[in-house]
Amino acid sequence: MTVSSTSTDLESYLQSNREERLASYTEFLRIPSISALPQHSGDCRRAAEWLAAELRRLGAEHVEVSETEAHPIVYADWLHAEGAPTAIVYGHYDVQPVDPLELWESPPFEPVLKADRVLARGAADDKAQIHMHLRAAEALLATRGRLPLNLKFVFEGDEEASSPGLDQWLEDHRDQLQADLAVISDTEFFYGNLPAITIALRGIMYAEIDVVGPPFDMHSGGYGGVIQNPANALAWILSSLKSPDGIVRIPGFYDDVVPLTDLEREALAELPFDEESYRQTLGVPAFAGEPGYSVLERRGARPTLDVNGLWSGFQGEGSKTIIPGRAHAKVSCRLVPGQDPRRIFDLLKAHVATVTPPGVTVEVRSLGNGDPSLTAIDHPATQAAARALEATFGRAPVYIREGGSIPICASFENLLGLPVVLLGFVQPECGAHAPNEWMDLGNYETGIRTIARYWDELATSLG
Ligand code: BES
Ligand code: MN
Ligand code: MN
């Protein structure tokens, strides 16, 4: 493709307002929109309002901050490309909690620029990528007065908390959300900053297990040996869920797993990835997980179970001799195509009931679900994204399976019948959910060009 005058205009427009763009991105990062913590619900609303104002400013229409059972969803559209395809652009403005705060080099909501990286909570996941979409649309509208296709923006504020109200919102707005595809920029490049299109995301089942014993903490000498200890009981329950070789022991857990085909295994094996150097990068003595599967398979294409939090009894220094009255664990399973998080929850609950020792009661509560998803490599919209990535980053993308979850991906596919393209730009080592999260400004800048280019490519290939 030759460089047309419009793409030159776009480039000089983007070069001329780089500083202002960075200032706007960091302003967005200053809003501590942590969805999981009720004390930040005002900040989530502020982030939603901030996005709505930006969308109005750049020329989007029907801008709406709509209420859900949790944080607001921001909707806006630009629908003047008659006869051209329509894409839904999805992102999430909420971020993960920041603890442990002492491990941050600088305060998480005071972004700093360091060696071409922006450091802040949300710098990568997912505020950068929302901002890139805003700025790509802005640059196209500013230089051409129009977009090559129709866009509908959907930005939610509960993705990091399993999006409890989202499916209902999608159902309620079915007509408004008619489109040809959904584009989600909330995934990563591959190792070595290799452009990547994610084709599979794992689903998730998240639960809390609460074990209740005596009405209060009791003397462990006076009662030890005669009353059941909830912490011991919980340890017993947890140890029955997964063996040290990584195999999940909940009966029925693997029943519905769709196995990888030989072709899919070959594709994963061909990715430029070295397990040993990956191990060294992570600083772990050895990998764990199911025998018979490569690290990339275990991470992206096999289901698993992890304890995410565990608490009971005395946590202070020194010793305190008690039998704690309560013990709690947060447990999540990452799921692969075929598995239904609701069924996995039922299996977990039933299994826990069978292994709970006498003398305590156990409650297993659901804290959220997300379905796994698989998108099509050969869909013209995926291939258009590959061309846009290659044209802007100079390398053809690889196709990867990610271990993380984006619940709306399956909802777009199953509830609205839309193909989904997972076009993310952050580096895999970006520290998402961890202290010192960062975004590479090179990827941020080039990614804006990729998005603009993608809209042109889509208008041509789907139009
Ligand atoms: N952006 C991530 C999902 C992701 C992670 C994609 C890694 C690709 C690679 C997303 O914000 C996320 O963290 N999702 C949660 C979902 C959960 C809370 C339902 C996750 O995966 O833990
Ligand atoms: Mn995300
Ligand atoms: Mn996340």
Side-chain angles (χ1 to χ4, degrees), residues 92 96 125 159-160 186 432-433:
H92 64 92
Q96 285 277 325
D125 182 13
E159 195 273 346
E160 301 291 10
D186 189 25
H433 298 202

Side-chain angles (χ1 to χ4, degrees), residues 92 125 159-160 162 186 188 204 334 402 404-407 433:
H92 64 92
D125 182 13
E159 195 273 346
E160 301 291 10
S162 303
D186 189 25
E188 300 170 349
I204 189 166
R334 297 287 172 169
E402 274 296 354
S405 312
I406 306 175
H433 298 202

Side-chain angles (χ1 to χ4, degrees), residues 161-208:
S162 303
S163 309
L166 193 66
D167 281 358
Q168 190 57 52
W169 189 88
L170 292 179
E171 302 256 25
D172 294 346
H173 293 76
R174 194 179 274 280
D175 293 337
Q176 194 179 20
L177 296 174
Q178 286 200 5
D180 297 289
L181 79 160
V183 176
I184 302 179
S185 294
D186 189 25
T187 49
E188 300 170 349
F189 273 11
F190 197 60
Y191 301 94
N193 206 25
L194 198 56
I197 293 178
T198 296
I199 53 157
L201 288 165
R202 288 196 286 190
I204 189 166
M205 182 287 302
Y206 205 118
E208 182 165 320

Side-chain angles (χ1 to χ4, degrees), residues 10 20 24 43 51 65 87 105 108 153 168 171-172 195 216 222 230 264 286 327 347 361 396 402 426-427 454 458:
L10 187 86
E20 180 274 330
S24 161
D43 296 315
L51 284 171
V65 176
E105 285 169 24
F153 296 96
Q168 190 57 52
E171 302 256 25
D172 294 346
F216 42 81
E264 287 169 328
L347 292 176
T361 58
E402 274 296 354
V426 312
Q427 295 196 24
Y454 184 37
L458 269 184

Side-chain angles (χ1 to χ4, degrees), residues 254-273:
Y254 293 100
D255 282 0
D256 302 322
V257 170
V258 177
L260 283 172
T261 63
D262 289 345
L263 223 63
E264 287 169 328
R265 296 192 83 171
E266 279 165 29
L268 283 177
E270 276 167 19
L271 289 170
F273 179 77

Side-chain angles (χ1 to χ4, degrees), residues 12 31 49 228 238:
S12 46
I31 307 172
E49 297 290 353
Q228 188 63 261
L238 293 178

Side-chain angles (χ1 to χ4, degrees), residues 340-365:
D340 175 358
R342 288 148 289 265
R343 169 153 198 267
I344 296 296
F345 175 79
D346 291 343
L347 292 176
L348 168 73
K349 195 171 169 148
H351 170 74
V352 168
T354 66
V355 293
T356 299
V360 290
T361 58
V362 177
E363 201 192 341
V364 183
R365 288 186 292 134

